[in-house]
Amino acid sequence: MKTRRLRQWRDAARLLDEAVAACGFGAGLRIAGAVRRAGRANAGLVELRVPGLPAPIALRAGTSDAATFVQIFLRGDLGFPLAPAPSVIVDGGANIGLSALCLHRRFPTARIVAVEFERSNFELLARNVAAYPQIEPVLAGLWPNDGWVAVADETAAKWATMPREDDGASPRSVRALSLTTLMAERALDRIDLLKLDIEGSEYELFDRLPPWLDAVGTLAIELHERLRPGASRRVVRALAGHLVGLQIQGEYLVCELGCAR
């Protein structure tokens, strides 16, 4: 019991330290308290405010939302340098909108298309970005071809839902979109930043050389080799002729591609 309590105090102190370092003392204190509440089960929705964003952000208590918030807003996984500032961002695997909101705070004039296929994630995504006309939520799964997908494992954590191809007959089915179709439907001729955190679906998305790579300036991708062995190799193979720069930021591989503005 003493060891457990010591670990809890240590985790709380680390959270407070990270929140204050990222957001200042007053805001950091409030954010740390809200994140701790969100880490407990049976607390419903927990709202918190982040400096630079006028509307509150809602997290589902007892889910992976709190950990995702810490990763993005406090540890700065999306803080990699981008020059010039992007005008068009596609957020693939947008979850509940935290990555889109973080990118909006950094690049307030950018158009952000936030794509999420898991319905409960999408519902909270739509709520969290409702105050920001620059962010467009899209209920769909990114896939190599157009069609339908569904959640592969309904018991998975909310940050780890993986799609599987589907026939579209189930009420749980959602639209599968290729990036080519997504760009055509939203009249995008290029994507300055493509962020992909799609829980192993990069295995399918990079099965063949994607035609849309020629229209991407920077790709920030989280690889899930543990979930889909061979996914990393497919991504590296596809990027071989396009890569002009590479860095690692948190869990993201940030790839500068050859599509210059």
Side-chain angles (χ1 to χ4, degrees), residues 170-200:
S170 166
R172 296 177 178 176
S173 302
V174 299
R175 193 179 178 201
L177 285 179
S178 69
L179 268 159
T180 300
T181 297
L182 181 75
M183 293 177 69
E185 289 184 353
R186 268 107 193 135
L188 306 177
D189 58 3
R190 65 166 282 122
I191 300 171
D192 299 315
L193 171 62
L194 173 61
K195 171 254 166 187
L196 291 177
D197 184 1
I198 50 178
E199 302 306 322

Side-chain angles (χ1 to χ4, degrees), residues 62-149:
T63 71
S64 50
D65 291 357
T68 304
F69 177 88
V70 170
Q71 180 181 336
I72 291 174
F73 279 99
L74 304 188
R75 296 180 184 163
D77 274 17
L78 294 173
F80 45 83
L82 283 170
S87 298
V88 176
I89 298 171
V90 171
D91 181 356
N95 198 258
I96 65 167
L98 301 180
S99 49
L101 290 168
C102 179
L103 290 168
H104 171 71
R105 187 172 67 155
R106 287 191 65 193
F107 310 110
T109 62
R111 178 186 178 187
I112 301 176
V113 180
V115 186
E116 173 58 39
F117 88 101
E118 202 277 332
R119 290 183 184 274
S120 62
N121 286 344
F122 179 80
E123 290 170 2
L124 194 51
L125 160 68
R127 169 181 168 149
N128 278 332
V129 305
Y132 308 95
Q134 302 91 335
I135 305 176
E136 177 185 356
V138 177
L139 177 61
L142 292 180
W143 207 246
N145 51 272
D146 299 337
W148 299 92
V149 291

Side-chain angles (χ1 to χ4, degrees), residues 240-257:
H242 295 74
L243 196 62
V244 296
L246 182 67
Q247 60 179 304
I248 296 174
Q249 179 84 16
E251 296 186 349
Y252 286 94
L253 194 66
V254 184
C255 310
E256 184 184 351
L257 306 182

